[in-house]
Amino acid sequence: MKVGKIIKASRKSNGLRQDQLAKDCDISVTYLSLIESDKKEPSVSTLKAISKRLNIPFPILIFQALTEEDIPKSKISLFKMIKDPIDTMLKSLEDSQDVDPKG
């Protein structure tokens, strides 16, 4: 699972610095850096705080972080079939939230 990669990309797309996200989630910048580099696995409560601050539903964050190594061998073909289309759909939803409805 590469949750750090997803957190880092989302933080950057939200225009947040590490120190801002760390402060908002009541964790140290060092700890956030270790999470983003996938050197530390955060607790569920920390992941929930991060996902809330990044405005990503917690289950979506977890799904986006899944890799083939996380999936049982018997389910990999299904995972490969759905992962890219779901990621594309989620990206599209994220992009549509960035559009100002007033023009």
Side-chain angles (χ1 to χ4, degrees):
M1 186 170 294
K2 299 292 183 185
V3 74
K5 177 182 173 184
I6 302 302
I7 290 169
K8 184 176 184 177
S10 183
R11 174 182 60 77
K12 287 184 170 191
S13 74
N14 279 288
L16 290 171
R17 295 185 320 265
Q18 276 187 332
D19 62 323
Q20 293 171 306
L21 180 58
K23 181 181 178 194
D24 291 346
C25 296
D26 199 28
I27 59 176
S28 72
V29 175
T30 302
Y31 186 50
L32 178 58
S33 177
L34 291 170
I35 292 169
E36 287 188 348
S37 62
D38 287 311
K39 293 180 181 170
K40 287 284 185 180
E41 290 187 22
S43 67
V44 171
S45 61
T46 298
L47 281 175
K48 285 183 176 181
I50 291 170
S51 69
K52 183 176 181 178
R53 176 60 182 93
L54 295 174
N55 200 29
I56 302 172
F58 178 69
I60 301 294
L61 176 69
I62 298 304
F63 179 81
Q64 289 180 314
L66 288 174
T67 64
E68 287 185 30
E69 293 79 33
D70 302 314
I71 308 300
K73 289 190 186 303
S74 63
K75 306 289 183 190
I76 286 183
S77 62
L78 177 61
F79 176 74
K80 286 180 178 181
M81 216 167 48
I82 66 170
K83 178 77 168 141
D84 286 341
I86 289 176
D87 284 345
T88 300
M89 179 187 68
L90 293 172
K91 178 69 175 141
S92 175
L93 287 171
E94 181 181 302
D95 291 346
S96 71
Q97 290 177 353
D98 294 339
V99 175
D100 184 358
K102 296 176 186 172

